[in-house]
Amino acid sequence: MKKNQNLIELRHIKKCYDGNTIVTEDFNLEIKKGEFVTFLGPSGCGKTTILRMIGGFELPTSGEILLNGEDISVLPPNKRPINTVFQKYALFPHLNVYDNVAFGLKLKKIPKREQDEKVRHALEIVDLEGFEKRSIQTLSGGQQQRIAIARAIVNEPELLLLDEPLSALDYKMRKEMQLELKNMHKKLGITFIFVTHDQEEALTMSDKIVVMADGEIQQVGTPEEIYNEPSNLFVADFIGESNIFKGRMMDKRKASFCGAVFDCVDDYEVGTIVDAVIRPEDIEITTSGRGQIQGKILSSDFKGTFYIVLVRSGKNEIEIHSLKNYQPDTVVELYIAPDLIHLIPYDSSINHYEGVITAYSEEKGVHVEFTDFGWDVKVEQIFPNGKLINKNGQPITIEGLKVEASFQPSIAQLSDDAQAGVVQGRIISFLYVGDHYRYTVRSKSEEDYVVDDEYLWNQEDFVSILIPKEKVTYRVWDGKNKKL
Amino acid sequence: MKKVFSLFWIYLVLLFLYAPILILTVYSFTDATMIGQIRGFSLHNYITLFTTPELLQMIFGTCLLALVVALLSTLLGTVGAIGAFYSKKSTRSVIELANQIPVVNADVVTGFSTCILMIAFFRIRKETYFPLVIGQTALCAPFVYLSVLPRLKQMDHQLYEAALDLGCTPSQALIKVILPQIVPGILSGFMTAITLSLDDYFIATYTKPATFDTISTYVVNATRGSQTEIKTALWALSAIIFVVVTLAVVGMNYSSEKSEGKNR
Amino acid sequence: MKKNVFSRRQLAVPYAIFLFLFVIIPLFVLIYFGFTDENGRISFANFLHFFGSGKTIGTLLYSIVIALCTTIFCLILAYPVAFFLAKGNFGRKQVWIMLFVLPMWINFTLRITALKEILTVLEGNLAYHPFFNTVLCMVYDFLPFMILPLYQALCKLDNSLIEAALDLGASEFQVFYKVVFPLSIPGIISGVTMVFLPSMTNYVVLDMVYNSTYIMGSLIGSYFSSYDWNNGSVISVILLLMICAVTLLSERFTKQEQIEKKSVLK
């Protein structure tokens, strides 16, 4: 066996419930022996489901799970050399500490002497020597947590799964357990998969973080990579604090945003629309004249080790973590070093929708039906020459033709009047982008719409989306470009 | 003032509930044939109760029937509750609906419908005791189901998964982990089944063999007759049942309080 | 793959079969007998007989009156008890409520015998006040079944709601009829269903206090003793329909409550 072999491989995992709710569609991941891997994502992103499939509590709808190269996808949990530390510990209340920890050993019919020895050793690892006879109810949350870990590791699994095991503990206890878990991982040398929604926890503990959202992997990397080089806006926003500005590449390694042109390290083709991500602690407030942009202090709040300073520059609001306090209304300059600007090219795959032409008439134009709505469009918008004939001069039937519509997030608007827009949905996420918010709205039929709006809405708000018909661009769908 | 009124009301209702039984209990220790007569202390009612073969048979028969019915109901109801709890929602709601029928149905209707199915339709003879036992079980099992199900709901659902994770087969997990968690529910279901069977009159009258009597059917027949000897012996029976029930309730309360104290 | 989901679900099978055989099927047999005559031919005569005869309709009305009186008196006695126990500051509530529930465990024929003996002394001849005696014995029999659900509903009622109402300036009486009472309605409904239906059918109570007027249950009893399955089934079907109606009604009520509660939480 090679040292760097993959312990677990997930290949094309698809999971749906009741045949229609899709948790994840095509999930691929490799985990090496001895790694401490964290699945990080907001609640409902599918991280726990993936973990449960590795543990065997749920079966993938399709795809395979390989353990040391062998397919274990349909093996029941009791046949897998994997143990789990459950979120609420799941200690058996009718058994005492010893019987809980020895539960797995007894099932394996391990001799009593050896059992005693192993239980004692496991309790030693979790620092609860001598607790054998205690009943579960007399233990504190932290102690129960440790017993749950002892119960899992006493079976010497190749892989330990931890499903948000620290979420029920208070802040101080959690910090302590984070360190202890990390030490335990080093001592035991087995692979840990840890699930959490707490980014700080993920950053402190892991060798490798898998950031997930909506059943998809957003980024896999070391904590440093995830923090410093987020691969998309979701990761940038979810991990740590960020300022995000809409911008454009002006020249080689020069991007314009926030009303100025900045030197940067990342490079994309001139003209590319980009989002610039800058961490609040990476912006320097100066008055020396070397700053790239000017602004006025809006507020400054003490946060213990630093001040959160809000600066307004033009229409943009910028958050800065500064060691110094500033008086409101002071005019300042801001300097951002080139290597601290992280550019992410605009994701051109958003807001693309497939529709079908269902009718055509002289007066009304072309009627296009999408998943969520349908409307009449002027012929010229879809067929630029305005003529419905093909190369040979024959009139073509356009009914049934598939078209692809797309629009920029900035042209649409949100409204709380359900009748105002063409489509309604709930806000599933949003980020602050310089001078406006970017909302992702999910309709009933699970289509996502990305809309820029300057007003603040909340997650879960039910909104309707106003899309100006004439600003939508269409393309007759030729069957290529399946990415819809 | 408010406290005085509330205490007054509470004691008034308690008096209403307990006075008849307590008075009867006192009179059961005399040889009076009617309440109100002033006679001396006597155990003669108790002697009659424990020496008349007819009465002894009736008491013993009722208890045996209750035990058989309760065991059967507990088995069916518990297994059914576990099965239903882990079934699909639609299956579970169908079972739940059927389970609810004997609970809300009038006992007369339950008794009559059992009788009509078994005796009028299938022509099973009452002397086999089959209609009686099945009829009472159909009444009691749903109550066992209802007292086990909340325990399953309360239980941390990850316990079962934890057991599998540690190497249990599904049936081992069920016996070693799930069953111990729902024992209190099973016990209280069993007790409910016992009392329901002891209390039942209607199912018994409609399905019992002609020669067999439960306490209820016997008492009702006795009120129609005019044997004072039997009537006063039944006072003694009431007194005994009252004491037994009180002791059982106090005991159960005490033990549950104790175990709860331990849990905390 | 199938092995993983083994056993737990299959455990429901025996119970489902049992329920089907001995709970569901009897109801169909009832309906079958209700709509056939003694020769097994389909007939509506039994129903027409029930609704066509003044005597049977009178029985129905009499049972409803008995049941109504019983329910109302139970409610009047039980509500204050449940309220004081749930919201007053009595120590060891468990013990108090046990005291009120304990009679439930004693065989009801024996309890009624006890009350009957007392009444005989007080009234001389029970036959002089058949209606009063019947209702009194029914109340005596069913009172614990009213107290328990009321007590449970009132215990569930969050004390902070009462405090909030007081805080907003409601007098104690206003607190009661604007907050406590509306929120205890599910308890009242479940108590009422537990008392109303049995008191329409429990004819043994009438037998024991020598009330010779029939209620719905007595009809079944008398058809049973004359082996008239068809007419007995008719009465059972009519009772079943009433039970269904009441259950559905109360369920709707409590469901609505739940929905309201959920929407408040959101």
Side-chain angles (χ1 to χ4, degrees):
Chain A
M1 251 196 245
K2 274 185 283 170
K3 186 113 203 279
N4 256 1
Q5 200 191 344
N6 288 330
L7 178 73
I8 279 272
E9 272 177 60
L10 302 177
R11 287 192 189 156
H12 309 296
I13 297 292
K14 180 181 177 182
K15 175 76 188 172
C16 7
Y17 287 114
D18 310 327
N20 47 28
T21 330
I22 296 169
V23 181
T24 178
E25 218 156 0
D26 184 17
F27 193 92
N28 293 284
L29 184 68
E30 292 173 358
I31 293 169
K32 293 202 168 51
K33 217 161 219 161
E35 275 186 319
F36 194 128
V37 180
T38 302
F39 290 176
L40 174 66
S43 53
C45 71
K47 54 192 191 303
T48 297
T49 310
I50 299 286
L51 193 81
R52 288 170 58 79
M53 286 194 278
I54 299 174
F57 306 116
E58 271 172 53
L59 301 178
T61 312
S62 66
E64 355 177 64
I65 300 170
L66 304 185
L67 179 77
N68 290 323
E70 268 172 60
D71 187 1
I72 57 159
S73 325
V74 294
L75 216 59
N78 47 329
K79 302 263 165 61
R80 300 189 188 199
I82 296 173
N83 284 108
T84 308
V85 177
F86 292 88
Q87 189 170 12
K88 280 180 256 140
Y89 321 138
L91 295 174
F92 306 128
H94 61 296
L95 302 177
N96 67 13
V97 168
Y98 177 90
D99 289 330
N100 261 285
V101 178
F103 194 88
L105 302 176
K106 282 182 183 162
L107 286 165
K108 284 188 209 138
K109 305 244 176 347
I110 284 171
K112 180 86 171 89
R113 289 265 306 275
E114 211 175 313
Q115 267 183 39
D116 289 350
E117 181 49 35
K118 285 191 171 183
V119 170
R120 205 187 51 74
H121 183 65
L123 289 178
E124 208 177 275
I125 291 178
V126 297
D127 270 335
L128 288 178
E129 299 98 325
F131 271 62
E132 281 92 342
K133 292 274 164 294
R134 291 278 289 272
S135 90
I136 297 301
Q137 284 85 8
T138 62
L139 302 180
S140 71
Q143 289 169 332
Q144 291 193 16
Q145 172 66 76
R146 287 156 198 260
I147 297 299
I149 295 169
R151 186 178 69 174
I153 59 175
V154 80
N155 301 295
E156 293 157 10
E158 288 187 62
L159 174 60
L160 188 68
L161 306 178
L162 301 107
D163 183 8
E164 306 210 22
L166 306 182
S167 61
L169 300 178
D170 62 34
Y171 182 76
K172 248 186 110 181
M173 188 72 103
R174 202 157 67 217
K175 293 271 148 209
E176 223 177 284
M177 282 306 292
Q178 285 173 10
L179 286 179
E180 278 193 47
L181 269 177
K182 220 181 158 181
N183 287 335
M184 248 180 251
H185 173 248
K186 272 191 206 138
K187 242 192 279 179
L188 293 166
I190 59 174
T191 314
F192 278 36
I193 301 182
F194 186 93
V195 162
T196 182
H197 60 261
D198 181 343
Q199 41 120 351
E200 208 185 312
E201 203 164 276
L203 292 173
T204 356
M205 299 173 74
S206 334
D207 296 332
K208 181 155 118 184
I209 297 178
V210 179
V211 186
M212 289 178 62
D214 223 10
E216 277 173 45
I217 295 182
Q218 303 294 320
Q219 191 173 1
V220 179
T222 63
E224 289 86 352
E225 280 166 3
I226 301 273
Y227 190 82
N228 294 330
E229 311 278 329
S231 65
N232 60 35
L233 284 190
F234 172 81
V235 179
D237 184 62
F238 189 69
I239 313 277
E241 304 275 319
S242 336
N243 290 291
I244 301 168
F245 305 104
K246 229 159 113 178
R248 178 189 287 275
M249 294 309 291
M250 300 306 282
D251 207 339
K252 195 145 183 58
R253 296 208 197 95
K254 278 189 195 305
S256 92
F257 56 88
C258 245
V261 176
F262 293 80
D263 288 323
C264 31
V265 181
D266 299 338
D267 195 20
Y268 298 98
E269 209 177 302
V270 175
T272 312
I273 298 174
V274 291
D275 288 305
V277 176
I278 300 132
R279 300 289 181 187
E281 66 271 20
D282 292 344
I283 303 176
E284 206 181 303
I285 302 177
T286 78
T287 42
S288 63
R290 71 182 183 117
Q292 294 110 322
I293 46 176
Q294 266 204 346
K296 213 175 177 189
I297 304 281
L298 281 179
S299 66
S300 175
D301 294 301
F302 186 54
K303 272 285 162 321
T305 46
F306 58 87
Y307 292 86
I308 292 185
V309 182
L310 277 183
V311 174
R312 176 177 284 280
S313 166
K315 278 171 78 184
N316 292 298
E317 243 174 58
I318 305 163
E319 185 184 326
I320 301 158
H321 293 178
S322 150
L323 294 177
K324 273 199 287 181
N325 191 12
Y326 290 87
Q327 287 307 312
D329 290 330
T330 323
V331 174
V332 291
E333 282 183 8
L334 302 180
Y335 172 74
I336 310 166
D339 58 335
L340 299 177
I341 299 169
H342 180 64
L343 297 180
I344 299 171
Y346 169 73
D347 180 4
S348 60
S349 70
I350 58 170
N351 288 355
H352 281 247
Y353 306 97
E354 189 187 319
V356 178
I357 298 177
T358 56
Y360 167 70
S361 68
E362 289 278 345
E363 343 47 274
K364 283 184 162 174
V366 181
H367 186 81
V368 189
E369 200 57 50
F370 298 97
T371 323
D372 287 316
F373 61 94
W375 60 20
D376 296 321
V377 186
K378 281 192 195 122
V379 182
E380 297 77 36
Q381 270 192 277
I382 304 178
F383 306 96
N385 53 13
K387 291 189 188 115
L388 296 176
I389 46 174
N390 66 4
K391 276 180 273 176
N392 308 328
Q394 302 285 317
I396 50 170
T397 37
I398 57 165
E399 279 91 349
L401 216 57
K402 279 188 181 166
V403 293
E404 185 192 88
S406 61
F407 66 89
Q408 292 289 320
S410 53
I411 67 155
Q413 258 185 314
L414 298 180
S415 162
D416 50 11
D417 174 7
Q419 301 308 313
V422 286
V423 60
Q424 293 83 37
R426 283 195 188 282
I427 295 177
I428 57 161
S429 68
F430 66 95
L431 359 131
Y432 184 63
V433 187
D435 60 349
H436 63 268
Y437 295 89
R438 172 163 294 174
Y439 297 95
T440 306
V441 179
R442 180 163 294 174
S443 73
K444 242 190 187 152
S445 50
E446 302 256 312
E447 289 268 21
D448 287 353
Y449 297 83
V450 181
V451 178
D452 289 348
D453 199 291
E454 54 188 302
Y455 298 105
L456 178 61
W457 303 78
N458 286 312
Q459 199 148 335
E460 289 291 307
D461 280 357
F462 189 77
V463 291
S464 83
I465 307 166
L466 286 70
I467 307 169
K469 244 199 273 196
E470 57 289 347
K471 288 188 185 159
V472 176
T473 53
Y474 296 89
R475 192 165 70 88
V476 175
W477 194 47
D478 44 17
K480 287 178 210 159
N481 189 5
K482 186 72 189 74
K483 178 98 183 106
L484 278 174
Chain B
M1 179 61 211
K2 235 172 59 191
K3 177 118 191 182
V4 172
F5 174 73
S6 56
L7 274 177
F8 169 75
W9 193 266
I10 285 174
Y11 283 126
L12 189 79
V13 175
L14 276 181
L15 186 75
F16 172 58
L17 283 176
Y18 283 94
I21 308 173
L22 288 174
I23 292 173
L24 210 67
T25 306
V26 172
Y27 272 90
S28 70
F29 289 104
T30 68
D31 49 16
T33 55
M34 265 189 74
I35 306 276
Q37 289 172 342
I38 296 166
R39 295 283 174 86
F41 176 83
S42 151
L43 285 176
H44 122 270
N45 286 327
Y46 290 84
I47 293 163
T48 323
L49 182 67
F50 287 115
T51 50
T52 315
E54 187 188 73
L55 284 169
L56 277 178
Q57 236 172 41
M58 174 272 285
I59 295 168
F60 180 71
T62 310
C63 293
L64 187 65
L65 175 70
L67 204 64
V68 171
V69 166
L71 284 174
L72 208 58
S73 320
T74 306
L75 188 69
L76 273 167
T78 305
V79 173
I82 297 174
F85 182 71
Y86 291 108
S87 292
K88 267 186 291 177
K89 236 188 179 165
S90 53
T91 328
R92 183 167 143 191
S93 56
V94 170
I95 293 178
E96 221 122 274
L97 188 69
N99 190 74
Q100 208 56 26
I101 293 171
V103 176
V104 297
N105 204 347
D107 293 356
V108 195
V109 179
T110 310
F112 187 75
S113 66
T114 313
C115 157
I116 219 175
L117 173 82
M118 304 261 190
I119 291 133
F121 201 75
F122 285 123
R123 309 209 176 267
I124 298 170
R125 288 178 54 241
K126 288 181 181 175
E127 281 64 31
T128 56
Y129 287 91
F130 185 73
L132 178 57
V133 171
I134 290 296
Q136 288 204 345
T137 307
L139 173 72
C140 299
F143 286 90
V144 178
Y145 177 98
L146 287 181
S147 79
V148 171
L149 203 68
R151 286 278 160 181
L152 285 165
K153 282 184 188 160
Q154 270 170 30
M155 186 183 68
D156 180 357
H157 68 277
Q158 286 187 326
L159 288 181
Y160 178 79
E161 292 182 348
L164 293 186
D165 187 74
L166 295 168
C168 277
T169 62
S171 50
Q172 278 177 321
L174 214 57
I175 292 163
K176 284 180 185 247
V177 174
I178 306 285
L179 216 54
Q181 313 307 320
I182 58 173
V183 164
I186 297 175
L187 282 182
S188 84
F190 180 80
M191 291 309 291
T192 313
I194 291 259
T195 46
L196 280 173
S197 168
L198 288 178
D199 206 44
D200 169 63
Y201 169 80
F202 295 101
I203 295 172
T205 19
Y206 292 144
T207 55
K208 74 181 177 63
T211 51
F212 176 81
D213 257 316
T214 66
I215 294 179
S216 306
T217 60
Y218 189 89
V219 171
V220 172
N221 286 335
T223 45
R224 294 196 181 117
S226 52
Q227 268 185 294
T228 28
E229 188 75 347
I230 297 293
K231 186 181 91 176
T232 52
L234 289 177
W235 295 358
L237 180 61
S238 304
I240 290 171
I241 291 183
F242 176 56
V243 171
V244 168
V245 166
T246 310
L247 287 180
V249 165
V250 168
M252 258 162 41
N253 240 29
Y254 180 73
S255 71
S256 80
E257 219 163 79
K258 214 172 138 189
S259 71
E260 247 166 59
K262 218 166 115 192
N263 285 353
R264 253 170 240 143
Chain C
M1 176 159 176
K2 273 276 172 285
K3 263 200 173 155
N4 201 18
V5 276
F6 139 84
S7 81
R8 295 191 296 176
R9 284 177 187 193
Q10 292 161 6
L11 289 178
V13 173
Y15 189 53
I17 292 174
F18 176 83
L19 285 177
F20 180 73
L21 283 182
F22 302 115
V23 174
I24 309 284
I25 296 270
L27 299 186
F28 284 103
V29 176
L30 272 187
I31 295 170
Y32 167 78
F33 273 93
F35 286 101
T36 51
D37 58 21
E38 58 269 42
N39 300 319
R41 274 183 303 239
I42 292 190
S43 129
F44 294 93
N46 312 316
F47 275 88
L48 294 176
H49 172 71
F50 179 84
F51 288 107
S53 145
K55 227 169 115 190
T56 44
I57 296 292
T59 304
L60 179 63
L61 290 179
Y62 189 70
S63 358
I64 290 176
V65 172
I66 293 257
L68 266 181
C69 291
T70 307
T71 312
I72 290 168
F73 282 116
C74 277
L75 201 55
I76 291 172
L77 282 176
Y79 201 101
V81 171
F83 180 72
F84 296 143
L85 287 186
K87 294 290 162 223
N89 43 13
F90 293 93
R92 302 178 69 79
K93 281 180 185 175
Q94 264 317 35
V95 177
W96 277 102
I97 196 68
M98 256 306 142
L99 271 177
F100 283 92
V101 175
L102 189 138
M104 252 166 38
W105 312 118
I106 302 171
N107 185 299
F108 81 99
T109 56
L110 289 174
R111 278 197 297 135
I112 293 200
T113 311
L115 182 60
K116 193 185 107 184
E117 301 288 347
I118 311 288
L119 287 176
T120 316
V121 176
L122 296 177
E123 296 176 8
N125 189 339
L126 286 178
Y128 291 155
H129 311 282
F131 183 81
F132 172 79
N133 288 341
T134 306
V135 172
L136 188 67
C137 284
M138 292 253 189
V139 171
Y140 183 63
D141 189 5
F142 298 130
L143 189 58
F145 295 93
M146 184 65 99
I147 293 179
L148 197 59
L150 282 176
Y151 172 78
Q152 282 162 345
L154 286 165
C155 273
K156 254 189 254 160
L157 196 154
D158 194 344
N159 268 332
S160 61
L161 292 177
I162 296 174
E163 280 160 13
L166 287 171
D167 180 71
L168 295 168
S171 70
E172 288 206 22
F173 181 65
Q174 284 170 322
V175 169
F176 178 77
Y177 85 90
K178 279 186 194 274
V179 178
V180 176
F181 187 74
L183 287 173
S184 65
I185 286 177
I188 296 180
I189 288 180
S190 89
V192 167
T193 40
M194 285 178 89
V195 171
F196 189 85
L197 291 166
S199 49
M200 269 186 74
T201 53
N202 196 330
Y203 62 91
V204 173
V205 177
L206 282 82
D207 279 4
M208 291 180 77
V209 297
Y210 312 123
N211 181 348
S212 56
T213 319
Y214 269 15
I215 56 170
M216 291 298 274
S218 346
L219 285 177
I220 295 185
S222 75
Y223 287 132
F224 167 77
S225 30
S226 61
Y227 301 104
D228 185 347
W229 308 128
N230 304 98
N231 277 309
S233 298
V234 168
I235 311 292
S236 301
V237 169
I238 290 167
L239 281 173
L240 263 179
L241 287 178
M242 295 183 69
I243 289 160
C244 272
V246 170
T247 315
L248 286 181
L249 218 73
S250 69
E251 211 147 83
R252 233 191 89 186
F253 228 101
T254 38
K255 279 243 171 79
Q256 240 167 22
E257 289 277 322
Q258 276 167 357
I259 292 165
E260 272 160 35
K261 260 182 219 157
K262 267 183 202 156
S263 60
V264 167
L265 284 178
K266 265 216 163 165

